[in-house]
Amino acid sequence: MQPATRHVYLNLDALRGVAAICVMLYHFSPFLADGKVLPSSYLAVDLFFLLSGFVIAHAYDRKIEAGMGFGSFLLVRLIRLYPLYLAGTLLGAFYLLIKNTLMPGDYMPMSDIAMMLTTGMLFIPLVGNAYHTIFPLNPASWSLFFELLVNIAYVLLFFALSKRVLSALVAGSLALLIVAAVFSGTLDFGMTGATIASGLPRVAFSFFLGVLICRSMAQGGTGFLQSGYWAEMALLLTLVIFAIAPAGGGARAGYDLICVVLLFPVMVTVGAAAPTRPGLAKLFGWLGRISYPIYIIHTPMLMIIAGAGKAASIDPFANHPWFGIAMAGAVIVIADVATRIY
């Protein structure tokens, strides 16, 4: 059998890259401004899950139908994800070891660091109340944990995932997601031990909706997107969504649900169907390549760079936005180098 020509979704690469940069800037907010920068950027995780479902279905549906087994699929995914994940985890451990040396007043027992490193390297979440996130050495890793869970579910359930079953999965996950959003007042959950259960419908809804969109688009019906500035509009809408900060309570939960349930699926459909302008192809491809490195190393790099600033008697909080801009630039450069070399 001749392998099919692989379609490269450069617009989706650009969406993922812009979203990763927005998450980084959101987490760097204390070093950039007095308030939150791009305050709704935590929704980028839901966009990542949706994109993942679409791309996984596109890349692996035919391969699994042709005989690719569970072990081969999982190995390919780990080869793709684990090296940079490991690098981020080791950077987090390095930060704590250096902090113990330079700031003995905040000393953390070596046994605690060893436990966080061991569990982190094995993708085991820490759900105790003593931890602010289920992966303390690299807080952004929480979404990667859920990504692997839903990837495993996809391959194990693959031959049962008809469109009817997918629709039922999406509908059931949505119902649970709405309940979780109403109780929490937001969709910003899943990263702590107290909210880890709520992370399951969050990833399941977006991922399996992405699979459903991919399979549905194979039947056509998006020809009207072949002309116009649809891809650029989707990118602009991403920034607008992340920049808006509705009031708390019901408004916040409603906004989050509208974005995840309605706007993100439209953006992914548009990005997948619309052509990429030749002049933007290289930029979009580059954004896609650096998206995962930026996301998975930016939180330990934040701790290391901010700690280095303090060690050099530079108050990173008193020197915004320049300190934050320098941090973001450094992470982008490191992500680019990691993509090309590591």
PDB file of all heavy atoms in Angstrom, residues 212-240:
ATOM      1  N   LEU A 212     -14.699  14.174  16.148  1.00  0.00           N
ATOM      2  CA  LEU A 212     -15.953  14.216  15.396  1.00  0.00           C
ATOM      3  C   LEU A 212     -15.893  15.245  14.272  1.00  0.00           C
ATOM      4  O   LEU A 212     -16.361  14.988  13.152  1.00  0.00           O
ATOM      5  CB  LEU A 212     -17.106  14.526  16.349  1.00  0.00           C
ATOM      6  CG  LEU A 212     -18.526  14.458  15.777  1.00  0.00           C
ATOM      7  CD1 LEU A 212     -18.836  13.061  15.243  1.00  0.00           C
ATOM      8  CD2 LEU A 212     -19.539  14.852  16.854  1.00  0.00           C
ATOM      9  N   ILE A 213     -15.310  16.402  14.538  1.00  0.00           N
ATOM     10  CA  ILE A 213     -15.191  17.438  13.505  1.00  0.00           C
ATOM     11  C   ILE A 213     -14.321  16.947  12.363  1.00  0.00           C
ATOM     12  O   ILE A 213     -14.652  17.121  11.187  1.00  0.00           O
ATOM     13  CB  ILE A 213     -14.607  18.734  14.114  1.00  0.00           C
ATOM     14  CG1 ILE A 213     -15.623  19.389  15.048  1.00  0.00           C
ATOM     15  CG2 ILE A 213     -14.204  19.715  13.007  1.00  0.00           C
ATOM     16  CD1 ILE A 213     -15.062  20.579  15.816  1.00  0.00           C
ATOM     17  N   CYS A 214     -13.204  16.299  12.685  1.00  0.00           N
ATOM     18  CA  CYS A 214     -12.302  15.794  11.649  1.00  0.00           C
ATOM     19  C   CYS A 214     -13.008  14.797  10.750  1.00  0.00           C
ATOM     20  O   CYS A 214     -12.930  14.885   9.518  1.00  0.00           O
ATOM     21  CB  CYS A 214     -11.076  15.155  12.295  1.00  0.00           C
ATOM     22  SG  CYS A 214      -9.886  14.490  11.115  1.00  0.00           S
ATOM     23  N   ARG A 215     -13.708  13.858  11.339  1.00  0.00           N
ATOM     24  CA  ARG A 215     -14.385  12.833  10.540  1.00  0.00           C
ATOM     25  C   ARG A 215     -15.540  13.424   9.744  1.00  0.00           C
ATOM     26  O   ARG A 215     -15.806  12.995   8.617  1.00  0.00           O
ATOM     27  CB  ARG A 215     -14.878  11.710  11.451  1.00  0.00           C
ATOM     28  CG  ARG A 215     -13.730  10.937  12.098  1.00  0.00           C
ATOM     29  CD  ARG A 215     -14.225   9.821  12.991  1.00  0.00           C
ATOM     30  NE  ARG A 215     -13.113   9.103  13.622  1.00  0.00           N
ATOM     31  CZ  ARG A 215     -13.261   8.106  14.481  1.00  0.00           C
ATOM     32  NH1 ARG A 215     -14.481   7.695  14.818  1.00  0.00           N
ATOM     33  NH2 ARG A 215     -12.203   7.516  15.002  1.00  0.00           N
ATOM     34  N   SER A 216     -16.220  14.415  10.301  1.00  0.00           N
ATOM     35  CA  SER A 216     -17.327  15.045   9.587  1.00  0.00           C
ATOM     36  C   SER A 216     -16.840  15.880   8.416  1.00  0.00           C
ATOM     37  O   SER A 216     -17.477  15.923   7.360  1.00  0.00           O
ATOM     38  CB  SER A 216     -18.143  15.924  10.552  1.00  0.00           C
ATOM     39  OG  SER A 216     -18.681  15.155  11.603  1.00  0.00           O
ATOM     40  N   MET A 217     -15.683  16.540   8.585  1.00  0.00           N
ATOM     41  CA  MET A 217     -15.155  17.378   7.502  1.00  0.00           C
ATOM     42  C   MET A 217     -14.717  16.550   6.307  1.00  0.00           C
ATOM     43  O   MET A 217     -14.639  17.059   5.190  1.00  0.00           O
ATOM     44  CB  MET A 217     -13.993  18.228   8.008  1.00  0.00           C
ATOM     45  CG  MET A 217     -14.411  19.384   8.885  1.00  0.00           C
ATOM     46  SD  MET A 217     -13.027  20.465   9.297  1.00  0.00           S
ATOM     47  CE  MET A 217     -12.610  21.122   7.680  1.00  0.00           C
ATOM     48  N   ALA A 218     -14.413  15.283   6.537  1.00  0.00           N
ATOM     49  CA  ALA A 218     -14.012  14.424   5.427  1.00  0.00           C
ATOM     50  C   ALA A 218     -15.132  14.267   4.405  1.00  0.00           C
ATOM     51  O   ALA A 218     -14.891  13.891   3.258  1.00  0.00           O
ATOM     52  CB  ALA A 218     -13.601  13.055   5.960  1.00  0.00           C
ATOM     53  N   GLN A 219     -16.366  14.602   4.819  1.00  0.00           N
ATOM     54  CA  GLN A 219     -17.508  14.499   3.914  1.00  0.00           C
ATOM     55  C   GLN A 219     -17.749  15.776   3.120  1.00  0.00           C
ATOM     56  O   GLN A 219     -18.684  15.850   2.337  1.00  0.00           O
ATOM     57  CB  GLN A 219     -18.752  14.148   4.733  1.00  0.00           C
ATOM     58  CG  GLN A 219     -18.631  12.826   5.476  1.00  0.00           C
ATOM     59  CD  GLN A 219     -19.817  12.544   6.367  1.00  0.00           C
ATOM     60  OE1 GLN A 219     -20.695  13.380   6.545  1.00  0.00           O
ATOM     61  NE2 GLN A 219     -19.836  11.355   6.953  1.00  0.00           N
ATOM     62  N   GLY A 220     -16.887  16.775   3.327  1.00  0.00           N
ATOM     63  CA  GLY A 220     -17.005  18.010   2.546  1.00  0.00           C
ATOM     64  C   GLY A 220     -17.986  18.989   3.175  1.00  0.00           C
ATOM     65  O   GLY A 220     -18.354  18.890   4.337  1.00  0.00           O
ATOM     66  N   GLY A 221     -18.412  19.980   2.376  1.00  0.00           N
ATOM     67  CA  GLY A 221     -19.373  20.966   2.840  1.00  0.00           C
ATOM     68  C   GLY A 221     -18.758  22.251   3.341  1.00  0.00           C
ATOM     69  O   GLY A 221     -19.455  23.087   3.914  1.00  0.00           O
ATOM     70  N   THR A 222     -17.454  22.435   3.151  1.00  0.00           N
ATOM     71  CA  THR A 222     -16.795  23.658   3.626  1.00  0.00           C
ATOM     72  C   THR A 222     -16.133  24.416   2.471  1.00  0.00           C
ATOM     73  O   THR A 222     -15.201  25.170   2.685  1.00  0.00           O
ATOM     74  CB  THR A 222     -15.732  23.315   4.691  1.00  0.00           C
ATOM     75  OG1 THR A 222     -14.811  22.362   4.140  1.00  0.00           O
ATOM     76  CG2 THR A 222     -16.372  22.741   5.937  1.00  0.00           C
ATOM     77  N   GLY A 223     -16.633  24.203   1.258  1.00  0.00           N
ATOM     78  CA  GLY A 223     -16.025  24.841   0.093  1.00  0.00           C
ATOM     79  C   GLY A 223     -16.066  26.353   0.128  1.00  0.00           C
ATOM     80  O   GLY A 223     -15.182  27.015  -0.437  1.00  0.00           O
ATOM     81  N   PHE A 224     -17.065  26.927   0.807  1.00  0.00           N
ATOM     82  CA  PHE A 224     -17.180  28.393   0.855  1.00  0.00           C
ATOM     83  C   PHE A 224     -16.017  29.029   1.608  1.00  0.00           C
ATOM     84  O   PHE A 224     -15.802  30.240   1.521  1.00  0.00           O
ATOM     85  CB  PHE A 224     -18.510  28.796   1.509  1.00  0.00           C
ATOM     86  CG  PHE A 224     -18.586  28.494   2.980  1.00  0.00           C
ATOM     87  CD1 PHE A 224     -18.305  29.488   3.916  1.00  0.00           C
ATOM     88  CD2 PHE A 224     -18.936  27.235   3.440  1.00  0.00           C
ATOM     89  CE1 PHE A 224     -18.367  29.217   5.270  1.00  0.00           C
ATOM     90  CE2 PHE A 224     -19.006  26.964   4.792  1.00  0.00           C
ATOM     91  CZ  PHE A 224     -18.723  27.954   5.709  1.00  0.00           C
ATOM     92  N   LEU A 225     -15.238  28.237   2.356  1.00  0.00           N
ATOM     93  CA  LEU A 225     -14.103  28.770   3.115  1.00  0.00           C
ATOM     94  C   LEU A 225     -12.827  28.847   2.290  1.00  0.00           C
ATOM     95  O   LEU A 225     -11.790  29.247   2.796  1.00  0.00           O
ATOM     96  CB  LEU A 225     -13.845  27.897   4.346  1.00  0.00           C
ATOM     97  CG  LEU A 225     -14.959  27.852   5.394  1.00  0.00           C
ATOM     98  CD1 LEU A 225     -14.649  26.812   6.451  1.00  0.00           C
ATOM     99  CD2 LEU A 225     -15.161  29.218   6.041  1.00  0.00           C
ATOM    100  N   GLN A 226     -12.904  28.485   1.017  1.00  0.00           N
ATOM    101  CA  GLN A 226     -11.697  28.432   0.195  1.00  0.00           C
ATOM    102  C   GLN A 226     -11.219  29.801  -0.263  1.00  0.00           C
ATOM    103  O   GLN A 226     -10.135  29.925  -0.833  1.00  0.00           O
ATOM    104  CB  GLN A 226     -11.943  27.529  -1.027  1.00  0.00           C
ATOM    105  CG  GLN A 226     -12.140  26.066  -0.668  1.00  0.00           C
ATOM    106  CD  GLN A 226     -10.957  25.496   0.091  1.00  0.00           C
ATOM    107  OE1 GLN A 226      -9.814  25.577  -0.358  1.00  0.00           O
ATOM    108  NE2 GLN A 226     -11.227  24.940   1.268  1.00  0.00           N
ATOM    109  N   SER A 227     -12.004  30.829  -0.062  1.00  0.00           N
ATOM    110  CA  SER A 227     -11.560  32.180  -0.420  1.00  0.00           C
ATOM    111  C   SER A 227     -11.916  33.137   0.708  1.00  0.00           C
ATOM    112  O   SER A 227     -12.891  32.929   1.436  1.00  0.00           O
ATOM    113  CB  SER A 227     -12.227  32.646  -1.730  1.00  0.00           C
ATOM    114  OG  SER A 227     -13.636  32.668  -1.594  1.00  0.00           O
ATOM    115  N   GLY A 228     -11.097  34.175   0.857  1.00  0.00           N
ATOM    116  CA  GLY A 228     -11.321  35.135   1.930  1.00  0.00           C
ATOM    117  C   GLY A 228     -10.244  35.038   2.998  1.00  0.00           C
ATOM    118  O   GLY A 228      -9.296  34.260   2.902  1.00  0.00           O
ATOM    119  N   TYR A 229     -10.407  35.826   4.026  1.00  0.00           N
ATOM    120  CA  TYR A 229      -9.416  35.901   5.102  1.00  0.00           C
ATOM    121  C   TYR A 229      -9.879  35.123   6.330  1.00  0.00           C
ATOM    122  O   TYR A 229      -9.725  35.570   7.464  1.00  0.00           O
ATOM    123  CB  TYR A 229      -9.169  37.372   5.465  1.00  0.00           C
ATOM    124  CG  TYR A 229      -8.486  38.150   4.368  1.00  0.00           C
ATOM    125  CD1 TYR A 229      -9.231  38.785   3.379  1.00  0.00           C
ATOM    126  CD2 TYR A 229      -7.097  38.237   4.314  1.00  0.00           C
ATOM    127  CE1 TYR A 229      -8.606  39.490   2.354  1.00  0.00           C
ATOM    128  CE2 TYR A 229      -6.468  38.947   3.303  1.00  0.00           C
ATOM    129  CZ  TYR A 229      -7.235  39.566   2.325  1.00  0.00           C
ATOM    130  OH  TYR A 229      -6.602  40.263   1.311  1.00  0.00           O
ATOM    131  N   TRP A 230     -10.406  33.936   6.106  1.00  0.00           N
ATOM    132  CA  TRP A 230     -10.972  33.143   7.190  1.00  0.00           C
ATOM    133  C   TRP A 230      -9.921  32.743   8.218  1.00  0.00           C
ATOM    134  O   TRP A 230     -10.161  32.828   9.430  1.00  0.00           O
ATOM    135  CB  TRP A 230     -11.658  31.900   6.626  1.00  0.00           C
ATOM    136  CG  TRP A 230     -12.843  32.201   5.771  1.00  0.00           C
ATOM    137  CD1 TRP A 230     -12.915  32.147   4.406  1.00  0.00           C
ATOM    138  CD2 TRP A 230     -14.139  32.608   6.218  1.00  0.00           C
ATOM    139  NE1 TRP A 230     -14.159  32.494   3.973  1.00  0.00           N
ATOM    140  CE2 TRP A 230     -14.941  32.790   5.065  1.00  0.00           C
ATOM    141  CE3 TRP A 230     -14.700  32.847   7.469  1.00  0.00           C
ATOM    142  CZ2 TRP A 230     -16.277  33.175   5.145  1.00  0.00           C
ATOM    143  CZ3 TRP A 230     -16.025  33.238   7.552  1.00  0.00           C
ATOM    144  CH2 TRP A 230     -16.796  33.396   6.406  1.00  0.00           C
ATOM    145  N   ALA A 231      -8.769  32.286   7.784  1.00  0.00           N
ATOM    146  CA  ALA A 231      -7.741  31.835   8.724  1.00  0.00           C
ATOM    147  C   ALA A 231      -7.248  32.995   9.579  1.00  0.00           C
ATOM    148  O   ALA A 231      -7.080  32.858  10.802  1.00  0.00           O
ATOM    149  CB  ALA A 231      -6.580  31.207   7.963  1.00  0.00           C
ATOM    150  N   GLU A 232      -7.022  34.134   8.944  1.00  0.00           N
ATOM    151  CA  GLU A 232      -6.550  35.299   9.697  1.00  0.00           C
ATOM    152  C   GLU A 232      -7.615  35.760  10.702  1.00  0.00           C
ATOM    153  O   GLU A 232      -7.286  36.180  11.824  1.00  0.00           O
ATOM    154  CB  GLU A 232      -6.213  36.437   8.736  1.00  0.00           C
ATOM    155  CG  GLU A 232      -4.991  36.177   7.865  1.00  0.00           C
ATOM    156  CD  GLU A 232      -5.300  35.353   6.615  1.00  0.00           C
ATOM    157  OE1 GLU A 232      -6.442  34.847   6.492  1.00  0.00           O
ATOM    158  OE2 GLU A 232      -4.406  35.210   5.780  1.00  0.00           O
ATOM    159  N   MET A 233      -8.884  35.664  10.312  1.00  0.00           N
ATOM    160  CA  MET A 233      -9.964  36.040  11.225  1.00  0.00           C
ATOM    161  C   MET A 233     -10.021  35.103  12.429  1.00  0.00           C
ATOM    162  O   MET A 233     -10.272  35.535  13.559  1.00  0.00           O
ATOM    163  CB  MET A 233     -11.297  36.037  10.471  1.00  0.00           C
ATOM    164  CG  MET A 233     -11.444  37.165   9.453  1.00  0.00           C
ATOM    165  SD  MET A 233     -12.882  36.953   8.374  1.00  0.00           S
ATOM    166  CE  MET A 233     -14.216  36.993   9.570  1.00  0.00           C
ATOM    167  N   ALA A 234      -9.765  33.814  12.206  1.00  0.00           N
ATOM    168  CA  ALA A 234      -9.761  32.854  13.307  1.00  0.00           C
ATOM    169  C   ALA A 234      -8.636  33.173  14.293  1.00  0.00           C
ATOM    170  O   ALA A 234      -8.817  33.097  15.515  1.00  0.00           O
ATOM    171  CB  ALA A 234      -9.616  31.436  12.773  1.00  0.00           C
ATOM    172  N   LEU A 235      -7.462  33.540  13.784  1.00  0.00           N
ATOM    173  CA  LEU A 235      -6.349  33.909  14.654  1.00  0.00           C
ATOM    174  C   LEU A 235      -6.663  35.171  15.448  1.00  0.00           C
ATOM    175  O   LEU A 235      -6.366  35.262  16.645  1.00  0.00           O
ATOM    176  CB  LEU A 235      -5.079  34.113  13.826  1.00  0.00           C
ATOM    177  CG  LEU A 235      -4.412  32.853  13.290  1.00  0.00           C
ATOM    178  CD1 LEU A 235      -3.303  33.211  12.327  1.00  0.00           C
ATOM    179  CD2 LEU A 235      -3.860  32.023  14.441  1.00  0.00           C
ATOM    180  N   LEU A 236      -7.249  36.136  14.791  1.00  0.00           N
ATOM    181  CA  LEU A 236      -7.614  37.369  15.479  1.00  0.00           C
ATOM    182  C   LEU A 236      -8.668  37.098  16.554  1.00  0.00           C
ATOM    183  O   LEU A 236      -8.588  37.641  17.661  1.00  0.00           O
ATOM    184  CB  LEU A 236      -8.145  38.391  14.471  1.00  0.00           C
ATOM    185  CG  LEU A 236      -8.591  39.744  15.042  1.00  0.00           C
ATOM    186  CD1 LEU A 236      -7.418  40.426  15.734  1.00  0.00           C
ATOM    187  CD2 LEU A 236      -9.156  40.635  13.937  1.00  0.00           C
ATOM    188  N   LEU A 237      -9.631  36.232  16.242  1.00  0.00           N
ATOM    189  CA  LEU A 237     -10.658  35.890  17.219  1.00  0.00           C
ATOM    190  C   LEU A 237     -10.043  35.213  18.445  1.00  0.00           C
ATOM    191  O   LEU A 237     -10.503  35.417  19.578  1.00  0.00           O
ATOM    192  CB  LEU A 237     -11.706  34.980  16.580  1.00  0.00           C
ATOM    193  CG  LEU A 237     -12.886  34.556  17.469  1.00  0.00           C
ATOM    194  CD1 LEU A 237     -13.637  35.779  17.976  1.00  0.00           C
ATOM    195  CD2 LEU A 237     -13.829  33.622  16.706  1.00  0.00           C
ATOM    196  N   THR A 238      -8.997  34.426  18.234  1.00  0.00           N
ATOM    197  CA  THR A 238      -8.303  33.785  19.357  1.00  0.00           C
ATOM    198  C   THR A 238      -7.794  34.838  20.332  1.00  0.00           C
ATOM    199  O   THR A 238      -7.993  34.739  21.547  1.00  0.00           O
ATOM    200  CB  THR A 238      -7.116  32.947  18.850  1.00  0.00           C
ATOM    201  OG1 THR A 238      -7.577  31.995  17.896  1.00  0.00           O
ATOM    202  CG2 THR A 238      -6.434  32.214  19.996  1.00  0.00           C
ATOM    203  N   LEU A 239      -7.131  35.862  19.811  1.00  0.00           N
ATOM    204  CA  LEU A 239      -6.595  36.918  20.677  1.00  0.00           C
ATOM    205  C   LEU A 239      -7.717  37.686  21.367  1.00  0.00           C
ATOM    206  O   LEU A 239      -7.601  38.034  22.548  1.00  0.00           O
ATOM    207  CB  LEU A 239      -5.739  37.874  19.844  1.00  0.00           C
ATOM    208  CG  LEU A 239      -4.447  37.277  19.278  1.00  0.00           C
ATOM    209  CD1 LEU A 239      -3.782  38.253  18.316  1.00  0.00           C
ATOM    210  CD2 LEU A 239      -3.490  36.913  20.402  1.00  0.00           C
ATOM    211  N   VAL A 240      -8.808  37.940  20.646  1.00  0.00           N
ATOM    212  CA  VAL A 240      -9.936  38.671  21.243  1.00  0.00           C
ATOM    213  C   VAL A 240     -10.532  37.869  22.389  1.00  0.00           C
ATOM    214  O   VAL A 240     -10.809  38.401  23.473  1.00  0.00           O
ATOM    215  CB  VAL A 240     -11.004  38.969  20.169  1.00  0.00           C
ATOM    216  CG1 VAL A 240     -12.276  39.525  20.815  1.00  0.00           C
ATOM    217  CG2 VAL A 240     -10.461  39.952  19.141  1.00  0.00           C
TER     218      VAL A 240
END
